């Protein structure tokens, strides 16, 4: 295993571990969220009936504010978990690429243009193509821009601007 493979493996494991910890945390807080909802609802009913509707209304607003904050925080834990899982996957893909396995990256076969002189001749697109080798795009826009860069010649000024 070369140095890059070790780095990618270590990072993938670290991100996967963080993702698993956040998943566990998310599951625990799901249960707490459910109990808080029912407990808060019961407390509001108790305050409303034992004291006055005014105390009940104030407790409703306090509960909704606090519960809303908890829900947003809970969703942030899920967002972080998904982010770390994605980072782990990216590092796994890069590790596979270090071993000449490019199958995890899109090959751009939808951009094959038989009328373009280099598209077919130079294997710009398709399985085991240059596109697949350099493609690290994550959006359709980025993928189209990369394909456009490969298909169209650029002058020196354009190349300098792209590098910036």
């Amino acid at each position: 295993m070369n140095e890059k493979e070790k780095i990618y493996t270590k990072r993938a494991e670290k991100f996967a571990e963080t993702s698993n910890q956040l998943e566990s945390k998310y599951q625990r807080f799901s249960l707490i969220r459910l109990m808080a909802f029912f407990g808060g609802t019961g407390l509001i009913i108790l305050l409303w009936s034992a004291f006055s509707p005014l105390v009940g209304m104030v407790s409703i607003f306090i509960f909704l504010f606090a519960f809303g904050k908890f829900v947003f925080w809970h969703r942030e834990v899920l967002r972080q978990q998904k982010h770390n899982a994605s980072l782990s996957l990216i590092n796994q893909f890069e590790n596979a690429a270090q071993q000449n396995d490019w199958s995890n990256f899109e090959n751009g076969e939808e951009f094959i243009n038989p009328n373009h002189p280099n598209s077919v001749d130079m294997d710009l697109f398709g399985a085991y193509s240059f596109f697949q080798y350099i493609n690290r795009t994550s959006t359709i826009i980025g993928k189209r821009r990369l394909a456009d860069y490969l298909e169209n010649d650029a002058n020196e000024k354009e190349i300098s601007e792209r590098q910036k």
Side-chain angles (χ1 to χ4, degrees):
M1 185 180 289
N2 69 34
E3 191 62 32
K4 283 186 179 181
E5 289 174 347
K6 289 178 186 175
I7 291 170
Y8 287 128
T9 299
K10 185 177 178 182
R11 289 180 69 189
E13 289 170 356
K14 184 187 101 185
F15 288 128
E17 181 182 336
T18 303
S19 174
N20 290 337
Q21 290 170 351
L22 288 168
E23 173 70 23
S24 175
K25 185 178 188 178
Y26 181 81
Q27 295 302 328
R28 281 194 313 271
F29 287 128
S30 292
L31 183 60
I32 292 170
R33 185 171 148 182
L34 183 66
M35 291 187 312
F37 178 78
F38 286 120
T41 303
L43 183 62
I44 289 169
I45 292 170
L46 179 68
L47 290 173
W48 189 292
S49 61
F51 294 100
S52 71
L54 179 62
V55 172
M57 291 295 277
V58 169
S59 64
I60 287 173
F61 288 118
I62 292 171
F63 173 73
L64 287 177
F65 178 77
F67 191 73
K69 285 281 194 183
F70 186 71
V71 168
F72 283 116
W73 178 72
H74 191 218
R75 291 184 71 191
E76 178 62 19
V77 170
L78 180 62
R79 189 196 66 74
Q80 289 176 3
Q81 183 272 327
K82 288 181 177 182
H83 179 72
N84 277 277
S86 294
L87 289 174
S88 176
L89 194 59
I90 287 168
N91 280 276
Q92 290 172 26
F93 289 171
E94 288 299 329
N95 193 19
Q98 291 298 311
Q99 299 166 15
N100 294 321
D101 177 6
W102 306 98
S103 61
N104 296 310
F105 303 107
E106 292 187 50
N107 61 23
E109 63 186 13
E110 66 269 26
F111 300 113
I112 293 175
N113 180 359
N115 298 325
H116 189 276
N118 298 331
S119 181
V120 178
D121 243 9
M122 294 179 60
D123 289 328
L124 287 182
F125 306 106
Y128 307 104
S129 64
F130 186 66
F131 183 90
Q132 188 172 27
Y133 179 72
I134 66 170
N135 179 30
R136 299 299 182 274
T137 61
S138 58
T139 64
I140 294 292
I141 295 169
K143 197 163 95 170
R144 285 185 184 145
R145 179 167 292 166
L146 177 59
D148 185 54
Y149 284 172
L150 292 175
E151 280 189 321
N152 299 310
D153 295 334
N155 60 36
E156 193 174 322
K157 182 181 177 188
E158 285 178 295
I159 293 170
S160 294
E161 287 180 22
R162 289 178 191 173
Q163 289 176 343
K164 288 178 185 175

